[in-house]
Amino acid sequence: MEEPDQTPRSGADGRSTRWEAHRARRRGEILDAALAAIDEEGPEVGVRRIAERIGAPRSAVYRHFRDRADLDGRIRRRALDSLLAELGPTLEPDGTVLCAIRRSVDAYLSWIAAHPQRYAFLSAGEHGGRSPDTEGTKAVIAHRAGTVFKAVLRALGKDDAGLAVPLASGLVGFVDATVDNWLAGRPDTAASAPLAEFLTRSVWAVLDGNLRALGVQLAPDQRVSAILGD
């Protein structure tokens, strides 16, 4: 029996690849338009307003997403990516322990001050239904912080005994709840220095207390690189 022809149909494959690339670009344009609309009009912005920003009918948006839940999930992922682009580098251990904490706090508050409506949109996703395409914002940040905590404990010769992950989650939850309460008072977001100081001291106090319980004493001015042996 003659074997079937397995030769790739390069023309068809090329057209498929170009079409997928076009769809990906279009989805990116829609998501960027959605973030711009949220920045200007708030987290409750409708799909029609998003569509107007790309010069297309509402139906054109839904050609690229399953439904509104899928669209919202992808928007949250885009907003989260923009947050992590600023916050992510500060979660890498550098400088003194206290400076490392303050740098992360400052980056977080600066992003919120620049994008208060995106933060509100992400927060709504935390407490409402999330798309499977989107990890919770706090979970992503806590995972990054937990990785650093594990590395520090390991460098100090301590088994984290399951402490690093809940410690990171608790601290991220504390910071998030404090910021939410601060924003509810409609403060001048440019005047966030006292809040940053409070959060920095509080995070250090929790870390210090838990480390002491493990028999570890760190000075706040100790360099992280010295702890990790870099």
Side-chain angles (χ1 to χ4, degrees):
M1 178 181 296
E2 184 179 351
E3 293 291 330
D5 183 8
Q6 299 294 325
T7 303
R9 299 177 60 193
S10 57
D13 289 348
R15 285 192 295 273
S16 177
T17 299
R18 288 193 297 273
W19 175 241
E20 285 304 315
H22 168 75
R23 285 179 59 82
R25 284 195 301 272
R26 193 57 168 166
R27 280 194 297 269
E29 291 170 0
I30 293 169
L31 294 175
D32 287 341
L35 288 181
I38 288 169
D39 286 340
E40 185 175 310
E41 302 182 35
E44 302 300 326
V45 67
V47 176
R48 189 178 302 281
R49 296 291 290 162
I50 296 171
E52 287 173 358
R53 285 180 171 268
I54 60 171
R58 185 171 177 270
S59 59
V61 173
Y62 284 119
R63 282 202 292 270
H64 297 274
F65 303 94
R66 293 189 301 273
D67 49 28
R68 181 61 197 254
D70 181 40
L71 173 61
D72 283 351
R74 301 295 185 97
I75 296 170
R76 289 190 188 100
R77 179 75 250 181
R78 199 78 158 189
L80 178 56
D81 286 345
S82 74
L83 168 58
L84 291 178
E86 292 191 25
L87 183 61
T90 72
L91 295 175
E92 298 298 323
D94 186 37
T96 67
V97 174
L98 204 61
C99 284
I101 295 171
R102 179 59 188 263
R103 192 170 59 250
S104 295
V105 168
D106 283 346
Y108 190 53
L109 293 179
S110 294
W111 186 87
I112 292 170
H115 306 290
Q117 301 292 7
R118 294 188 193 189
Y119 178 77
F121 188 81
L122 283 171
S123 296
E126 292 291 336
H127 302 110
R130 280 199 305 272
S131 164
D133 298 315
T134 306
E135 294 180 85
T137 309
K138 289 182 287 188
V140 173
I141 297 172
H143 175 75
R144 297 270 189 104
T147 299
V148 174
F149 294 166
K150 285 181 180 180
V152 169
L153 288 170
R154 189 164 52 246
L156 294 168
K158 297 290 183 179
D159 177 16
D160 77 349
L163 173 67
V165 172
L167 178 58
S169 297
L171 286 172
V172 170
F174 166 74
V175 170
D176 186 65
T178 304
V179 170
D180 278 348
N181 185 66
W182 176 67
L183 289 172
R186 300 186 180 280
D188 175 5
T189 53
S192 60
L195 177 64
E197 289 291 344
F198 168 76
L199 290 172
T200 300
R201 288 196 309 269
S202 299
V203 170
W204 163 246
V206 173
L207 286 174
D208 185 44
N210 280 278
L211 288 172
R212 286 176 183 273
L214 292 175
V216 175
Q217 293 191 33
L218 289 182
D221 59 353
Q222 191 167 351
R223 296 192 69 81
V224 181
S225 58
I227 299 170
L228 296 175
D230 293 343

